[in-house]
Amino acid sequence: MDIMCFIIPALVGLIFGIFGYLLGKMSSKKDVLLAVSLQEDLDVCKSTVKNLNQKINALDVELASKTKNNPAPQSSISQFIFDKEIALNILGKKVKENDLKIVEGIGPKIEALFNEAGIATWQDLSKASTEKLQNILDAAGENFAMHNPSTWPKQALMAHQGKWQELKDWQANLLGGKE
């Protein structure tokens, strides 16, 4: 018998075995990335469902109060109820409600300045103009005046609305709160 009859099939089998192994490795990496992406999407969906359920409950309360001809004041109905667990899952760090330091570029000293100026919540910060924020920073001295608050209101709005994944993705592209 000719030795080539054994060597050629063995080499072909070895080559296809290596090729199959490499394809399997590449496929498993894609599966891991897909699983991570799906988990992030699931967390965002859970957050959205929770917010929608809270809005439904708030609307039920409002409807019930209007049915009794005693409408509830608008301030008692919240558009978003903060859930620290969802924020932790998406951002990967503990978040306190209305902690201005969650905004990229704001540290404890700037947070204290804003609190003194009456900006104590994410909603307050989201409604503040960039000019007002810059004026507060300028008045505090040159160490604060160098900061650029142009993205801070939008970041605060995302936090106020519970859009944690959107906030995380945007902050990943910011440098010290600047685009």
Side-chain angles (χ1 to χ4, degrees):
M1 287 192 108
D2 189 19
I3 194 151
M4 293 303 275
C5 292
F6 294 107
I7 292 177
I8 291 175
L11 286 175
V12 169
L14 182 63
I15 290 170
F16 279 106
I18 293 171
F19 183 71
Y21 175 76
L22 292 174
L23 280 177
K25 278 293 203 185
M26 289 184 347
S27 175
S28 68
K29 287 181 183 176
K30 289 180 185 176
D31 291 344
V32 169
L33 293 175
L34 180 62
V36 170
S37 175
L38 290 175
Q39 183 61 46
E40 289 176 355
D41 290 346
L42 179 62
D43 292 340
V44 170
C45 288
K46 285 180 181 179
S47 172
T48 303
V49 167
K50 186 168 185 165
N51 288 338
L52 289 173
N53 284 333
Q54 292 167 348
K55 286 180 184 178
I56 289 170
N57 291 337
L59 290 172
D60 285 343
V61 168
E62 183 181 15
L63 180 61
S65 67
K66 285 187 177 183
T67 305
K68 296 177 184 179
N69 291 328
N70 187 15
Q74 289 289 12
S75 61
S76 70
I77 300 173
S78 176
Q79 292 295 324
F80 168 73
I81 296 177
F82 175 70
D83 185 335
K84 64 181 177 183
E85 293 301 319
I86 293 174
L88 173 65
N89 287 337
I90 295 174
L91 297 177
K93 59 183 176 181
K94 290 185 178 182
V95 177
K96 293 181 183 176
E97 186 172 9
N98 291 315
D99 181 3
L100 300 183
K101 295 182 297 293
I102 193 71
V103 172
E104 179 77 22
I106 295 181
K109 292 180 181 179
I110 293 177
E111 181 182 40
L113 285 175
F114 287 167
N115 288 340
E116 289 174 17
I119 300 172
T121 66
W122 293 325
Q123 186 174 20
D124 295 340
L125 183 57
S126 72
K127 291 180 179 180
S129 69
T130 303
E131 293 79 23
K132 177 180 179 179
L133 299 176
Q134 190 63 57
N135 288 338
I136 294 168
L137 295 171
D138 291 344
E142 61 186 56
N143 288 339
F144 297 100
M146 66 182 179
H147 293 278
N148 180 352
S150 61
T151 64
W152 297 355
K154 186 174 178 183
Q155 290 182 64
L157 180 61
M158 288 180 207
H160 175 66
Q161 294 173 340
K163 296 181 178 179
W164 302 116
Q165 188 62 49
E166 189 176 334
L167 177 62
K168 179 182 177 183
D169 293 342
W170 194 37
Q171 285 181 338
N173 296 319
L174 296 177
L175 181 61
K178 301 175 198 171
E179 287 189 281

